[in-house]
Amino acid sequence: MDAIAGMARAFRSELGDPPGKLTAGAIRRDAMGSHPRLRILVADLGGTIVGYALYQNFYEPGEALEGVHLCDLYVTPAERKSGFGRALLDGVSDAARADKKAFVWWVTRQSNQAAMEFYQHMGAITVPALSCGIILS
């Protein structure tokens, strides 16, 4: 869990964001146990975690379908363009299909050109949208 939490901090740093609150304890709380709120896949290279995908179930009322929201997809800089990102995204897609979900959905910043190119290469569709939210605490 510490490796994933460290990569989550690195991811936020690369985006120019504050470090966030995804600690090893938060991962254990939210991804472990009999009713996890999120799921995690990891990319392993010789026993070292070099990437992760964090996702959760999602409902799209416009289509009346269940899918998966990909919250984070991160591969360490040294291992990018080595197939780990594709493997993680394929793994999330495979898990969603096995769970009878209809789609995998995510957001990315237009300024994250490397991610945009990766997703386009993977065949993702883009939908013009503005992501909004209300912070409750």
Side-chain angles (χ1 to χ4, degrees):
M1 300 307 143
D2 289 332
I4 296 166
M7 283 187 279
R9 283 190 304 276
F11 185 25
R12 302 291 173 274
S13 177
E14 288 178 29
L15 294 172
D17 289 349
K21 298 179 181 176
L22 189 64
T23 63
I27 294 167
R28 277 190 286 283
R29 179 192 68 216
D30 297 335
M32 305 295 169
S34 59
H35 300 292
R37 298 190 304 196
L38 57 97
R39 296 180 183 156
I40 300 172
L41 293 179
V42 296
D44 179 282
L45 179 63
T48 300
I49 297 174
V50 296
Y52 73 97
L54 194 140
Y55 62 102
Q56 61 190 25
N57 290 335
F58 179 76
Y59 186 80
E60 173 49 57
E63 299 295 326
L65 294 171
E66 285 187 89
V68 164
H69 173 241
L70 178 63
C71 305
D72 275 1
L73 177 65
Y74 182 80
V75 176
T76 58
E79 300 306 329
R80 291 180 188 159
K81 299 190 182 234
S82 297
F84 290 108
R86 173 181 285 278
L88 287 166
L89 190 53
D90 285 348
V92 171
S93 297
D94 291 346
R97 276 189 207 94
D99 203 21
K100 307 291 190 236
K101 305 300 183 204
F103 59 86
V104 177
W105 192 263
W106 64 90
V107 297
T108 191
R109 296 178 184 175
Q110 289 180 336
S111 61
N112 190 345
Q113 194 59 40
M116 297 290 287
E117 290 172 9
F118 169 72
Y119 297 136
Q120 185 177 30
H121 179 73
M122 292 291 295
I125 61 168
T126 58
V127 178
L130 178 63
S131 181
C132 302
I134 298 172
I135 307 300
L136 299 176
S137 58

